[in-house]
Amino acid sequence: MAPLIILLAVTLVLLVAGAVGVRGLRPWPVAVRGGLAAMFVATGIAHFVGMREQLISMVPPALPAPGLLVTVTGILELVGAAGLLRHRTAPWAAGGLGLMLIAMFPANVYAALEGILTAADDQLVPRTAMQVVFLAATAVVVVHHVRARNGRAAEAN
């Protein structure tokens, strides 16, 4: 639940800041990028501190080197979070993070079905709903950038 709270809270704070006059935060997708970046920093750090063993236990047994997989995905989340903060790299970072969310979803299903995670929000339905929200947020960033690029191209013609 913490990643969802981080995403929503940071996005809301940035939306308010844009509404009260912080020019760089006025386009609402910028606020979503900031919320996603904060969320992925938090989850990326969790791959190394605090939840590492729990995350390793979530890796389905069919996959090799669970510790290495958790390390690599943690690094990718942190790099993706940094990429979200730059306009030029944001759509690529969001797209990559979205694909990673899809690729990591089987670990969430495995953990929920095997009872590895016991909190109410770690059960399959709430966890799936949160993943859908995270995936939708990454898609919003990609779609916004594609539409903005296509609009600029149409104006140039």
Side-chain angles (χ1 to χ4, degrees):
M1 185 66 78
L4 180 62
I5 293 169
I6 292 167
L7 170 63
L8 296 176
V10 172
T11 300
L12 182 61
V13 166
L14 296 176
L15 283 170
V16 169
V20 298
V22 179
R23 186 175 302 186
L25 298 176
R26 283 201 183 131
W28 64 268
V30 173
V32 174
R33 284 176 27 209
L36 278 169
M39 181 194 82
F40 279 112
V41 165
T43 58
I45 289 171
H47 284 69
F48 303 100
V49 179
M51 291 185 62
R52 183 171 177 78
E53 293 307 316
Q54 187 177 27
L55 292 171
I56 290 171
S57 72
M58 290 174 60
V59 177
L63 296 176
L68 177 62
L69 289 173
V70 168
T71 298
V72 169
T73 55
I75 291 169
L76 289 173
E77 288 184 17
L78 293 169
V79 169
L84 286 167
L85 298 176
R86 295 210 51 217
H87 179 75
R88 287 185 181 203
T89 57
W92 297 102
L97 289 165
L99 291 174
M100 192 170 72
L101 286 169
I102 293 168
M104 292 181 350
F105 187 70
N108 292 314
V109 172
Y110 170 76
L113 295 178
E114 294 296 317
I116 293 170
L117 305 174
T118 56
D121 61 326
D122 282 329
Q123 301 311 306
L124 189 54
V125 171
R127 201 157 179 86
T128 300
M130 284 190 287
Q131 289 291 99
V132 168
V133 171
F134 303 153
L135 192 55
T138 61
V140 160
V141 172
V142 173
V143 168
H144 172 74
H145 280 273
V146 168
R147 284 184 177 167
R149 185 188 66 211
N150 289 344
R152 286 190 302 271
E155 289 174 9
N157 290 330

